[in-house]
């Protein structure tokens, strides 16, 4: 089961008021209401109301985040969308597989469906902030889907998953999953300490760091466990002299 209240739809770098309005309408169609715009390409969205038929309440409650990590900070799991089937070291999920994982992870807290901009979708760097990514199978004649159309396909599947009976009771608060904002904060603290220890390459630390963060997300830490790891790295950083990075060979 995928509770509608636990699903957040994130539109990253949206530029079209028409698409925003159409997505809001689709969300209303299928009973979803939590929408976040991440680093929108424009704030001139007045025309969105025209296409958001009976989805005006979605637009009224819509939040805006400066970047993707900020948009994801309250979520425990995120799946991004792309038309590319392979990313280095990662395999695409089908829409059905992705929705099943959203449903499973929604028992631990809020989950996110992330859609990229109309012009270029989500980059590899942006997809690195997502736990998984999915590809909607399309014809080679036109492999790229319109933003609102892709949202309609995926939200229909999410709605169908939401109508299934729950297989297990939601976890109690003390066992809720680690929020991605806490994991990102842990990643930043790890970065400082591992630069100081000369484990990371100071010229390009992000690649290895994102791998480590994804492994923490796959481990399905509770929020308390993530906070304990964060506290431990804070103490370790202080013991090493502040955790400030120093040049070194480090990992590639």
């Amino acid at each position: 089961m995928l509770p509608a209240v636990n699903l957040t739809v994130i539109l990253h770098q949206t530029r079209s008021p028409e698409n925003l309005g159409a997505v809001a309408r689709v969300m209303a169609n299928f009973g979803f209401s939590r929408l976040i715009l991440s680093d929108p390409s424009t704030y001139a969205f007045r025309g969105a109301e025209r296409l958001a038929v009976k989805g005006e309440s979605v637009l009224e409650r819509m939040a805006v985040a400066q970047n993707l990590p900020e948009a994801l900070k309250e979520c425990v799991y995120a799946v991004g969308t792309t038309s590319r089937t392979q990313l280095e070291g990662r395999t695409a999920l089908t829409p059905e597989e992705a929705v099943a994982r959203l449903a499973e992870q929604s028992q631990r807290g809020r989950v996110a469906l992330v859609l990229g901009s109309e012009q270029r979708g989500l980059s590899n760097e942006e997809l690195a902030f997502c736990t998984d990514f999915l590809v909607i199978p399309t014809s080679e004649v036109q492999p790229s889907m319109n933003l609102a159309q892709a949202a309609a396909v995926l939200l229909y599947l999410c709605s169908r998953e939401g109508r299934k009976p729950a297989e297990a009771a939601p976890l109690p608060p003390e066992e809720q999953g680690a929020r991605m904002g806490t994991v990102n904060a842990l990643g930043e603290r790890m970065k400082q300490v591992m630069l100081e220890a000369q484990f990371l390459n100071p010229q390009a630390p992000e690649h290895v760091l994102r791998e480590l963060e994804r492994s923490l997300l796959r481990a399905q830490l509770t929020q308390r466990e993530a906070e304990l790891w964060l506290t431990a790295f804070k103490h370790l950083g202080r013991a090493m002299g502040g955790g400030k990075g120093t040049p070194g060979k480090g990992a590639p």
Side-chain angles (χ1 to χ4, degrees):
M1 181 179 180
L2 176 52
V5 70
N6 275 6
L7 179 70
T8 299
V9 176
I10 297 175
L11 303 184
H12 183 62
Q13 295 185 338
T14 303
R15 60 181 59 244
S16 164
E18 291 77 14
N19 273 329
L20 173 59
V23 170
R25 177 174 180 167
V26 167
M27 290 179 65
N29 282 146
F30 297 114
F32 298 103
S33 60
R34 184 172 172 79
L35 174 63
I36 298 179
L37 298 188
S38 164
D39 186 22
S41 297
T42 178
Y43 288 86
F45 286 123
R46 182 159 300 189
E49 293 90 344
R50 185 171 56 85
L51 289 181
V53 180
K54 296 189 178 179
E56 296 87 353
S57 62
V58 175
L59 295 178
E60 290 169 2
R61 293 196 294 266
M62 176 179 70
V64 179
Q66 291 186 344
N67 50 50
L68 199 48
E70 181 184 330
L72 291 167
K73 66 182 181 181
E74 295 298 324
C75 298
V76 301
Y77 175 84
V79 59
T81 59
T82 181
S83 59
R84 288 164 286 154
T85 56
Q86 290 291 329
L87 296 177
E88 184 180 356
R90 305 176 72 185
T91 303
L93 301 177
T94 67
E96 293 80 4
E97 290 171 336
V99 169
R101 290 198 186 177
L102 284 167
E104 176 187 354
Q105 296 297 320
S106 71
Q107 305 308 303
R108 303 172 60 240
R110 284 180 177 165
V111 295
L113 177 63
V114 185
L115 297 104
S117 71
E118 298 91 335
Q119 191 170 51
R120 62 177 183 84
L122 293 171
S123 68
N124 287 1
E125 181 180 356
E126 289 156 354
L127 285 168
F129 290 111
C130 299
T131 323
D132 287 310
F133 72 100
L134 71 84
V135 175
I136 299 174
T138 52
S139 165
E140 292 182 0
V141 175
Q142 173 50 290
S144 178
M145 292 187 73
N146 169 269
L147 171 63
Q149 293 171 336
V153 170
L154 297 170
L155 290 175
Y156 163 69
L157 292 175
C158 289
S159 173
R160 189 174 67 176
E161 189 72 27
R163 291 193 292 271
K164 294 180 179 179
E167 295 182 1
L171 295 174
E174 64 272 14
E175 294 183 29
Q176 291 283 304
R179 294 187 291 272
M180 296 179 80
T182 306
V183 175
N184 287 338
L186 172 56
E188 284 303 306
R189 186 64 61 170
M190 289 167 59
K191 177 181 176 181
Q192 294 172 9
V193 172
M194 289 188 289
L195 282 170
E196 178 73 15
Q198 301 185 15
F199 173 73
L200 294 176
N201 179 349
Q203 276 72 51
E206 299 301 325
H207 179 71
V208 171
L209 192 64
R210 293 286 171 260
E211 275 195 79
L212 292 171
E213 286 179 356
R214 285 201 299 273
S215 71
L216 289 172
L217 290 171
R218 286 196 301 271
Q220 298 188 15
L221 301 176
T222 66
Q223 179 64 19
R224 171 171 167 72
E225 288 170 338
E227 290 170 353
L228 284 173
W229 276 105
L230 180 56
T231 301
F233 268 90
K234 285 180 179 178
H235 282 269
L236 184 58
R238 285 197 290 268
M240 294 177 66
K244 296 179 181 179
T246 55
K249 294 178 73 173

